[in-house]
Amino acid sequence: MKYSQIIKGMVPFLFSATSLAAEKQPPNVVLIMCDDLGYGDLGYTGAEDIKTPNIDQLAAEGIEFTNYYASAPTSSPTRCALMTGRYQARFKNLEAAFHMGVNHIGLPENEETLGRAFQRNGYHTALIGKWHLGGLPHQVPTQQGFDYFTGFLSGNIDYFTHQEKNGTHDLFEQEKAISSKEYMTDFIADRSIRYIQEYKNKPFLLYVAFNAPHWPYQGPDDGPCMADGTDWMQGSRERLVSMIEHTDKRIGDILRELKKNQLDENTIVIFTSDNGGDKFARNKPFSGSKGLIREGGIRVPLIFSWKENIKDPLLSNVPLITMDITTTLLQLTNTPFKEKTDGTTFYPLSSEQNRDLQNRPLFWRNGAKKQDAVRLGDFKMLFEKGKYHLYNLTTDPEEAENIADLYPDKLQELQKLYNQWEAEMPYKQTQFGNALKINQ
């Protein structure tokens, strides 16, 4: 891919955000999130065995961010940060993905969310696909700011039977259980297309939450898992490839529907993943994977496209995190938010804003694996296995050389920043997985 402009920590100021209010209908938003997608498992990020022409084209027409991070290495906390614009550590028991059967944990009642704020601003809001932020009546999407919801509430389901591994049915429209014979990726894409057709004449926020390529590893030509779930984690690289390529195909269908309805110019399209890749994934050039706060578990793709305002493809290495998506969408749509977010807008960016983003710390905490991390500029402090590590991510993206002994002052600076951040967080999760079931 050739870029007309290579930006290192700098995206040019393309238009005045304040001028948006005086213009025509506010932009639509299509937010596409994949599940467990490895950083290197797309054509434009270097995959040699996976063809993703539609996602590649989206990157070619918009801004590709190479230093974008999920706020956590697993699903639920990242989705919490996206919905609230705040670190997941500001919410009780939302620092790790919910396990199967843990149905009582989720977003608090009446919490300020991206959907709720867009609703107040006159947008129609929809979530199609994976929720994973609670299944109690007050936690479901229709009670958390989404006018329309169809999809599933848990962390993963069989792509064909739409059941959890324990056989629990998990496919809903609004708050009613429904049945479908569609492969889940097709279900999500088809209903997203139908939604665009129905709401094309009013501003909308459409959150397209694919479960691919999360396990169980089932391509569109495969069949359901065995009833006892013994093959739930089985699969292969080839099967993962088929899942990703089919997702790319259906993303292309969604983008073409926007163009067909003359919505593509004034629609903000964002593509990303909730965390790094898992089994069979390619997280290169980084080490680690889903569940770890090494780069491979948290560094994920981010594409920002807005054809009306971005005429040339751009590349930026400014460090970003999940909450920045929330904050940017709120600003670009002039949407008030009742809480102060932990994010910063990344578009449009002045030189001063870019410097601020380059020089702000980003934080992670992974209590289940006893890991902590903070990134500031080129440096990342990682605490794991009872030891402090320091890496220069510009020269060592694989986190192969611990330079803590060479830069004791830098390590101390990052430790202090992390301790200050942790002291500000109101919650620290200490129970994980099945241990949380005893509190139901």
Side-chain angles (χ1 to χ4, degrees):
M1 180 183 298
K2 294 182 179 180
Y3 289 89
S4 61
Q5 199 167 359
I6 302 297
I7 312 296
K8 290 193 174 182
M10 173 66 187
V11 178
F13 194 93
L14 300 178
F15 73 100
S16 170
T18 57
S19 68
L20 279 174
E23 292 182 359
K24 53 184 180 179
Q25 177 173 306
N28 301 307
V29 176
V30 175
L31 174 55
I32 303 171
M33 179 175 279
C34 282
D35 198 350
D36 292 4
L37 179 68
Y39 183 91
D41 273 339
L42 298 169
Y44 86 91
T45 58
E48 297 181 353
D49 59 341
I50 301 179
K51 294 180 175 60
T52 54
N54 295 293
I55 298 171
D56 296 350
Q57 183 64 28
L58 191 67
E61 296 173 349
I63 304 175
E64 174 194 341
F65 292 96
T66 62
N67 272 292
Y68 170 74
Y69 291 92
S71 67
T74 56
S75 176
S76 300
T78 299
R79 292 164 197 270
C80 171
L82 179 67
M83 285 296 101
T84 67
R86 285 159 281 165
Y87 278 108
Q88 56 272 9
R90 297 193 185 278
F91 305 89
K92 187 176 181 179
N93 289 326
L94 281 172
E95 291 191 67
F98 312 150
H99 283 204
M100 180 179 64
V102 178
N103 303 317
H104 62 300
I105 294 169
L107 284 179
E109 193 167 6
N110 301 318
E111 187 57 59
E112 178 72 325
T113 66
L114 187 66
R116 191 166 279 129
F118 268 73
Q119 277 182 330
R120 291 196 308 268
N121 200 28
Y123 277 73
H124 195 275
T125 58
L127 165 58
I128 299 177
K130 175 175 174 174
W131 176 236
H132 209 193
L133 284 174
L136 294 180
H138 68 274
Q139 295 167 339
V140 298
T142 50
Q143 300 300 314
Q144 292 285 357
F146 290 95
D147 296 302
Y148 179 72
F149 164 66
T150 187
F152 62 102
L153 299 173
S154 66
N156 50 87
I157 58 172
D158 187 294
Y159 284 73
F160 294 92
T161 66
H162 313 128
Q163 294 178 342
E164 292 186 75
K165 188 177 180 181
N166 62 5
T168 300
H169 180 80
D170 191 1
L171 188 64
F172 296 86
E173 184 167 24
Q174 299 300 79
E175 298 172 25
K176 181 181 178 181
I178 61 171
S179 296
S180 171
K181 295 182 180 180
E182 272 193 292
Y183 179 66
M184 196 62 204
T185 301
D186 292 326
F187 178 95
I188 292 169
D190 288 342
R191 278 148 186 80
S192 296
I193 290 169
R194 187 185 305 170
Y195 178 84
I196 292 168
Q197 293 169 346
E198 185 171 353
Y199 290 96
K200 61 185 177 183
N201 294 322
K202 60 182 67 176
F204 60 78
L205 165 68
L206 172 58
Y207 175 22
V208 184
F210 286 107
N211 53 324
H214 193 293
W215 38 265
Y217 298 103
Q218 298 168 296
D221 298 323
D222 299 318
C225 290
M226 289 184 280
D228 61 3
T230 54
D231 59 344
W232 199 264
M233 294 296 295
Q234 293 178 11
S236 63
R237 175 68 180 175
E238 290 73 23
R239 190 168 288 183
L240 183 79
V241 167
S242 72
M243 296 170 75
I244 295 173
E245 290 188 343
H246 192 70
T247 303
D248 175 80
K249 176 178 180 294
R250 298 316 315 267
I251 288 173
D253 293 336
I254 293 171
L255 298 177
R256 282 184 285 274
E257 190 63 31
L258 290 173
K259 185 173 184 179
K260 177 182 175 182
N261 289 280
Q262 299 181 325
L263 300 174
D264 56 322
E265 290 291 323
N266 194 34
T267 296
I268 296 170
V269 179
I270 293 176
F271 172 84
T272 189
S273 177
D274 61 348
N275 48 252
D278 200 2
K279 195 176 181 182
F280 309 118
R282 175 183 179 271
N283 293 309
K284 291 182 178 179
F286 311 116
S287 63
S289 59
K290 174 184 178 177
L292 301 173
I293 52 178
R294 284 188 164 266
E295 294 292 286
I298 52 178
R299 186 92 71 96
V300 294
L302 175 65
I303 302 169
F304 179 90
S305 174
W306 191 3
K307 289 185 177 181
E308 189 170 82
N309 291 289
I310 301 174
K311 301 303 181 183
D312 297 305
L314 301 171
L315 182 71
S316 174
N317 73 346
V318 63
L320 301 176
I321 197 166
T322 301
M323 299 79 75
D324 297 331
I325 292 178
T326 315
T327 307
T328 300
L329 291 178
L330 292 170
Q331 174 169 310
L332 294 181
T333 58
N334 296 302
T335 299
F337 205 64
K338 292 182 178 180
E339 299 284 349
K340 184 181 184 300
T341 73
D342 290 317
T344 302
T345 184
F346 58 74
Y347 181 86
L349 289 177
S350 65
S351 297
E352 182 180 356
Q353 286 172 313
N354 271 285
R355 284 195 299 271
D356 289 343
L357 285 172
Q358 288 281 5
N359 295 316
R360 65 167 178 165
L362 303 177
F363 303 95
W364 295 267
R365 184 170 65 190
N366 183 2
K369 299 290 185 179
K370 295 182 172 55
Q371 289 181 305
D372 307 322
V374 55
R375 174 171 178 170
L376 179 65
D378 294 336
F379 289 91
K380 176 181 175 183
M381 181 209 80
L382 172 66
F383 178 79
E384 68 173 0
K385 298 180 180 179
K387 181 180 179 181
Y388 283 101
H389 301 249
L390 184 69
Y391 301 106
N392 185 321
L393 295 178
T394 299
T395 59
D396 182 22
E398 294 184 64
E399 299 170 289
E401 182 183 0
N402 183 4
I403 57 175
D405 292 340
L406 298 177
Y407 298 92
D409 291 343
K410 176 60 68 172
L411 177 63
Q412 186 176 22
E413 176 190 2
L414 297 186
Q415 288 173 326
K416 182 178 179 180
L417 285 172
Y418 179 84
N419 291 336
Q420 290 173 342
W421 171 82
E422 187 169 66
E424 294 174 3
M425 294 300 108
Y427 297 102
K428 184 172 184 178
Q429 189 166 340
T430 58
Q431 290 185 321
F432 304 92
N434 291 332
L436 290 166
K437 293 182 181 179
I438 62 175
N439 295 322
Q440 287 189 247

PDB file of all heavy atoms in Angstrom, residues 273-296:
ATOM      1  N   SER A 273     -10.518  -4.039  16.760  1.00  0.00           N
ATOM      2  CA  SER A 273     -10.724  -5.314  17.446  1.00  0.00           C
ATOM      3  C   SER A 273     -10.735  -5.068  18.950  1.00  0.00           C
ATOM      4  O   SER A 273     -10.202  -4.062  19.424  1.00  0.00           O
ATOM      5  CB  SER A 273      -9.618  -6.305  17.100  1.00  0.00           C
ATOM      6  OG  SER A 273      -9.761  -7.533  17.809  1.00  0.00           O
ATOM      7  N   ASP A 274     -11.341  -5.984  19.694  1.00  0.00           N
ATOM      8  CA  ASP A 274     -11.440  -5.793  21.147  1.00  0.00           C
ATOM      9  C   ASP A 274     -10.175  -6.172  21.895  1.00  0.00           C
ATOM     10  O   ASP A 274      -9.953  -5.746  23.027  1.00  0.00           O
ATOM     11  CB  ASP A 274     -12.639  -6.559  21.712  1.00  0.00           C
ATOM     12  CG  ASP A 274     -12.552  -8.062  21.491  1.00  0.00           C
ATOM     13  OD1 ASP A 274     -11.684  -8.517  20.714  1.00  0.00           O
ATOM     14  OD2 ASP A 274     -13.368  -8.794  22.079  1.00  0.00           O
ATOM     15  N   ASN A 275      -9.324  -6.994  21.283  1.00  0.00           N
ATOM     16  CA  ASN A 275      -8.039  -7.389  21.887  1.00  0.00           C
ATOM     17  C   ASN A 275      -7.252  -8.145  20.838  1.00  0.00           C
ATOM     18  O   ASN A 275      -7.714  -8.329  19.705  1.00  0.00           O
ATOM     19  CB  ASN A 275      -8.243  -8.243  23.154  1.00  0.00           C
ATOM     20  CG  ASN A 275      -9.228  -9.372  23.000  1.00  0.00           C
ATOM     21  OD1 ASN A 275     -10.331  -9.313  23.532  1.00  0.00           O
ATOM     22  ND2 ASN A 275      -8.853 -10.403  22.257  1.00  0.00           N
ATOM     23  N   GLY A 276      -6.062  -8.583  21.213  1.00  0.00           N
ATOM     24  CA  GLY A 276      -5.222  -9.299  20.272  1.00  0.00           C
ATOM     25  C   GLY A 276      -5.712 -10.695  19.968  1.00  0.00           C
ATOM     26  O   GLY A 276      -6.671 -11.195  20.563  1.00  0.00           O
ATOM     27  N   GLY A 277      -5.044 -11.327  19.027  1.00  0.00           N
ATOM     28  CA  GLY A 277      -5.453 -12.639  18.562  1.00  0.00           C
ATOM     29  C   GLY A 277      -5.153 -13.745  19.560  1.00  0.00           C
ATOM     30  O   GLY A 277      -4.237 -13.656  20.379  1.00  0.00           O
ATOM     31  N   ASP A 278      -5.930 -14.821  19.444  1.00  0.00           N
ATOM     32  CA  ASP A 278      -5.815 -15.972  20.333  1.00  0.00           C
ATOM     33  C   ASP A 278      -5.199 -17.139  19.552  1.00  0.00           C
ATOM     34  O   ASP A 278      -4.353 -16.946  18.686  1.00  0.00           O
ATOM     35  CB  ASP A 278      -7.203 -16.302  20.884  1.00  0.00           C
ATOM     36  CG  ASP A 278      -7.166 -17.141  22.159  1.00  0.00           C
ATOM     37  OD1 ASP A 278      -6.074 -17.440  22.656  1.00  0.00           O
ATOM     38  OD2 ASP A 278      -8.246 -17.504  22.651  1.00  0.00           O
ATOM     39  N   LYS A 279      -5.650 -18.323  19.819  1.00  0.00           N
ATOM     40  CA  LYS A 279      -5.133 -19.531  19.187  1.00  0.00           C
ATOM     41  C   LYS A 279      -5.192 -19.414  17.658  1.00  0.00           C
ATOM     42  O   LYS A 279      -6.197 -18.950  17.113  1.00  0.00           O
ATOM     43  CB  LYS A 279      -5.962 -20.725  19.665  1.00  0.00           C
ATOM     44  CG  LYS A 279      -5.372 -22.085  19.404  1.00  0.00           C
ATOM     45  CD  LYS A 279      -6.267 -23.152  20.036  1.00  0.00           C
ATOM     46  CE  LYS A 279      -5.712 -24.547  19.832  1.00  0.00           C
ATOM     47  NZ  LYS A 279      -6.607 -25.587  20.401  1.00  0.00           N
ATOM     48  N   PHE A 280      -4.130 -19.783  16.988  1.00  0.00           N
ATOM     49  CA  PHE A 280      -3.978 -19.782  15.526  1.00  0.00           C
ATOM     50  C   PHE A 280      -3.784 -18.388  14.938  1.00  0.00           C
ATOM     51  O   PHE A 280      -3.629 -18.244  13.729  1.00  0.00           O
ATOM     52  CB  PHE A 280      -5.170 -20.457  14.823  1.00  0.00           C
ATOM     53  CG  PHE A 280      -5.526 -21.814  15.357  1.00  0.00           C
ATOM     54  CD1 PHE A 280      -6.768 -22.064  15.921  1.00  0.00           C
ATOM     55  CD2 PHE A 280      -4.605 -22.859  15.309  1.00  0.00           C
ATOM     56  CE1 PHE A 280      -7.093 -23.308  16.412  1.00  0.00           C
ATOM     57  CE2 PHE A 280      -4.924 -24.119  15.803  1.00  0.00           C
ATOM     58  CZ  PHE A 280      -6.172 -24.335  16.358  1.00  0.00           C
ATOM     59  N   ALA A 281      -3.815 -17.337  15.764  1.00  0.00           N
ATOM     60  CA  ALA A 281      -3.705 -15.981  15.247  1.00  0.00           C
ATOM     61  C   ALA A 281      -2.246 -15.598  15.001  1.00  0.00           C
ATOM     62  O   ALA A 281      -1.313 -16.224  15.504  1.00  0.00           O
ATOM     63  CB  ALA A 281      -4.342 -14.991  16.211  1.00  0.00           C
ATOM     64  N   ARG A 282      -2.099 -14.537  14.241  1.00  0.00           N
ATOM     65  CA  ARG A 282      -0.782 -13.949  13.961  1.00  0.00           C
ATOM     66  C   ARG A 282      -0.776 -12.539  14.542  1.00  0.00           C
ATOM     67  O   ARG A 282      -1.445 -11.640  14.033  1.00  0.00           O
ATOM     68  CB  ARG A 282      -0.541 -13.904  12.452  1.00  0.00           C
ATOM     69  CG  ARG A 282       0.751 -13.213  12.021  1.00  0.00           C
ATOM     70  CD  ARG A 282       0.824 -13.184  10.488  1.00  0.00           C
ATOM     71  NE  ARG A 282       2.026 -12.519  10.016  1.00  0.00           N
ATOM     72  CZ  ARG A 282       2.140 -11.212   9.784  1.00  0.00           C
ATOM     73  NH1 ARG A 282       1.100 -10.415  10.023  1.00  0.00           N
ATOM     74  NH2 ARG A 282       3.256 -10.701   9.334  1.00  0.00           N
ATOM     75  N   ASN A 283      -0.044 -12.352  15.633  1.00  0.00           N
ATOM     76  CA  ASN A 283       0.038 -11.042  16.273  1.00  0.00           C
ATOM     77  C   ASN A 283       1.320 -10.306  15.913  1.00  0.00           C
ATOM     78  O   ASN A 283       1.633  -9.266  16.507  1.00  0.00           O
ATOM     79  CB  ASN A 283      -0.059 -11.192  17.790  1.00  0.00           C
ATOM     80  CG  ASN A 283      -1.430 -11.685  18.224  1.00  0.00           C
ATOM     81  OD1 ASN A 283      -2.439 -11.126  17.830  1.00  0.00           O
ATOM     82  ND2 ASN A 283      -1.467 -12.744  19.016  1.00  0.00           N
ATOM     83  N   LYS A 284       2.067 -10.826  14.977  1.00  0.00           N
ATOM     84  CA  LYS A 284       3.330 -10.219  14.571  1.00  0.00           C
ATOM     85  C   LYS A 284       3.103  -8.780  14.140  1.00  0.00           C
ATOM     86  O   LYS A 284       2.061  -8.450  13.578  1.00  0.00           O
ATOM     87  CB  LYS A 284       3.953 -11.025  13.432  1.00  0.00           C
ATOM     88  CG  LYS A 284       4.449 -12.399  13.882  1.00  0.00           C
ATOM     89  CD  LYS A 284       5.106 -13.130  12.723  1.00  0.00           C
ATOM     90  CE  LYS A 284       5.638 -14.488  13.184  1.00  0.00           C
ATOM     91  NZ  LYS A 284       6.274 -15.241  12.077  1.00  0.00           N
ATOM     92  N   PRO A 285       4.082  -7.919  14.424  1.00  0.00           N
ATOM     93  CA  PRO A 285       5.439  -8.232  14.892  1.00  0.00           C
ATOM     94  C   PRO A 285       5.585  -8.259  16.402  1.00  0.00           C
ATOM     95  O   PRO A 285       6.691  -8.101  16.922  1.00  0.00           O
ATOM     96  CB  PRO A 285       6.249  -7.056  14.318  1.00  0.00           C
ATOM     97  CG  PRO A 285       5.298  -5.917  14.388  1.00  0.00           C
ATOM     98  CD  PRO A 285       3.944  -6.506  14.078  1.00  0.00           C
ATOM     99  N   PHE A 286       4.499  -8.482  17.117  1.00  0.00           N
ATOM    100  CA  PHE A 286       4.534  -8.364  18.578  1.00  0.00           C
ATOM    101  C   PHE A 286       4.546  -9.733  19.250  1.00  0.00           C
ATOM    102  O   PHE A 286       4.123 -10.731  18.676  1.00  0.00           O
ATOM    103  CB  PHE A 286       3.320  -7.564  19.055  1.00  0.00           C
ATOM    104  CG  PHE A 286       3.127  -6.280  18.302  1.00  0.00           C
ATOM    105  CD1 PHE A 286       1.997  -6.076  17.526  1.00  0.00           C
ATOM    106  CD2 PHE A 286       4.096  -5.294  18.339  1.00  0.00           C
ATOM    107  CE1 PHE A 286       1.835  -4.905  16.803  1.00  0.00           C
ATOM    108  CE2 PHE A 286       3.945  -4.122  17.635  1.00  0.00           C
ATOM    109  CZ  PHE A 286       2.803  -3.915  16.856  1.00  0.00           C
ATOM    110  N   SER A 287       4.993  -9.750  20.501  1.00  0.00           N
ATOM    111  CA  SER A 287       4.950 -10.964  21.307  1.00  0.00           C
ATOM    112  C   SER A 287       3.699 -10.953  22.164  1.00  0.00           C
ATOM    113  O   SER A 287       3.112  -9.903  22.430  1.00  0.00           O
ATOM    114  CB  SER A 287       6.194 -11.051  22.203  1.00  0.00           C
ATOM    115  OG  SER A 287       6.219  -9.969  23.132  1.00  0.00           O
ATOM    116  N   GLY A 288       3.306 -12.134  22.623  1.00  0.00           N
ATOM    117  CA  GLY A 288       2.112 -12.234  23.457  1.00  0.00           C
ATOM    118  C   GLY A 288       0.853 -12.376  22.627  1.00  0.00           C
ATOM    119  O   GLY A 288       0.862 -12.293  21.391  1.00  0.00           O
ATOM    120  N   SER A 289      -0.258 -12.601  23.322  1.00  0.00           N
ATOM    121  CA  SER A 289      -1.534 -12.836  22.644  1.00  0.00           C
ATOM    122  C   SER A 289      -2.668 -12.436  23.585  1.00  0.00           C
ATOM    123  O   SER A 289      -2.430 -11.883  24.665  1.00  0.00           O
ATOM    124  CB  SER A 289      -1.659 -14.315  22.252  1.00  0.00           C
ATOM    125  OG  SER A 289      -1.582 -15.138  23.406  1.00  0.00           O
ATOM    126  N   LYS A 290      -3.878 -12.724  23.168  1.00  0.00           N
ATOM    127  CA  LYS A 290      -5.040 -12.443  23.995  1.00  0.00           C
ATOM    128  C   LYS A 290      -4.811 -12.910  25.436  1.00  0.00           C
ATOM    129  O   LYS A 290      -4.266 -13.967  25.686  1.00  0.00           O
ATOM    130  CB  LYS A 290      -6.258 -13.170  23.414  1.00  0.00           C
ATOM    131  CG  LYS A 290      -7.513 -13.064  24.272  1.00  0.00           C
ATOM    132  CD  LYS A 290      -8.647 -13.889  23.699  1.00  0.00           C
ATOM    133  CE  LYS A 290      -9.874 -13.816  24.603  1.00  0.00           C
ATOM    134  NZ  LYS A 290     -11.025 -14.553  24.046  1.00  0.00           N
ATOM    135  N   GLY A 291      -5.252 -12.085  26.385  1.00  0.00           N
ATOM    136  CA  GLY A 291      -5.132 -12.436  27.790  1.00  0.00           C
ATOM    137  C   GLY A 291      -3.886 -11.892  28.461  1.00  0.00           C
ATOM    138  O   GLY A 291      -3.769 -11.964  29.685  1.00  0.00           O
ATOM    139  N   LEU A 292      -2.961 -11.344  27.674  1.00  0.00           N
ATOM    140  CA  LEU A 292      -1.722 -10.789  28.207  1.00  0.00           C
ATOM    141  C   LEU A 292      -1.593  -9.331  27.799  1.00  0.00           C
ATOM    142  O   LEU A 292      -2.060  -8.941  26.728  1.00  0.00           O
ATOM    143  CB  LEU A 292      -0.505 -11.566  27.687  1.00  0.00           C
ATOM    144  CG  LEU A 292      -0.452 -13.056  28.006  1.00  0.00           C
ATOM    145  CD1 LEU A 292       0.727 -13.703  27.286  1.00  0.00           C
ATOM    146  CD2 LEU A 292      -0.348 -13.286  29.511  1.00  0.00           C
ATOM    147  N   ILE A 293      -0.938  -8.535  28.632  1.00  0.00           N
ATOM    148  CA  ILE A 293      -0.755  -7.135  28.256  1.00  0.00           C
ATOM    149  C   ILE A 293       0.627  -6.866  27.676  1.00  0.00           C
ATOM    150  O   ILE A 293       1.134  -5.753  27.690  1.00  0.00           O
ATOM    151  CB  ILE A 293      -1.085  -6.162  29.410  1.00  0.00           C
ATOM    152  CG1 ILE A 293      -0.347  -6.507  30.685  1.00  0.00           C
ATOM    153  CG2 ILE A 293      -2.570  -6.125  29.644  1.00  0.00           C
ATOM    154  CD1 ILE A 293      -0.639  -5.515  31.815  1.00  0.00           C
ATOM    155  N   ARG A 294       1.216  -7.919  27.106  1.00  0.00           N
ATOM    156  CA  ARG A 294       2.268  -7.702  26.131  1.00  0.00           C
ATOM    157  C   ARG A 294       1.605  -7.137  24.870  1.00  0.00           C
ATOM    158  O   ARG A 294       0.381  -7.222  24.706  1.00  0.00           O
ATOM    159  CB  ARG A 294       3.025  -8.990  25.842  1.00  0.00           C
ATOM    160  CG  ARG A 294       3.982  -9.362  26.969  1.00  0.00           C
ATOM    161  CD  ARG A 294       4.878 -10.521  26.638  1.00  0.00           C
ATOM    162  NE  ARG A 294       6.006 -10.569  27.578  1.00  0.00           N
ATOM    163  CZ  ARG A 294       7.181 -10.014  27.366  1.00  0.00           C
ATOM    164  NH1 ARG A 294       7.394  -9.368  26.217  1.00  0.00           N
ATOM    165  NH2 ARG A 294       8.146 -10.090  28.264  1.00  0.00           N
ATOM    166  N   GLU A 295       2.423  -6.606  23.974  1.00  0.00           N
ATOM    167  CA  GLU A 295       1.867  -5.896  22.823  1.00  0.00           C
ATOM    168  C   GLU A 295       0.906  -6.768  21.996  1.00  0.00           C
ATOM    169  O   GLU A 295      -0.108  -6.277  21.486  1.00  0.00           O
ATOM    170  CB  GLU A 295       2.992  -5.370  21.930  1.00  0.00           C
ATOM    171  CG  GLU A 295       3.842  -4.293  22.578  1.00  0.00           C
ATOM    172  CD  GLU A 295       3.087  -2.998  22.807  1.00  0.00           C
ATOM    173  OE1 GLU A 295       2.832  -2.267  21.837  1.00  0.00           O
ATOM    174  OE2 GLU A 295       2.747  -2.727  23.984  1.00  0.00           O
ATOM    175  N   GLY A 296       1.212  -8.044  21.867  1.00  0.00           N
ATOM    176  CA  GLY A 296       0.341  -8.909  21.063  1.00  0.00           C
ATOM    177  C   GLY A 296      -1.045  -9.096  21.633  1.00  0.00           C
ATOM    178  O   GLY A 296      -1.961  -9.478  20.912  1.00  0.00           O
TER     179      GLY A 296
END
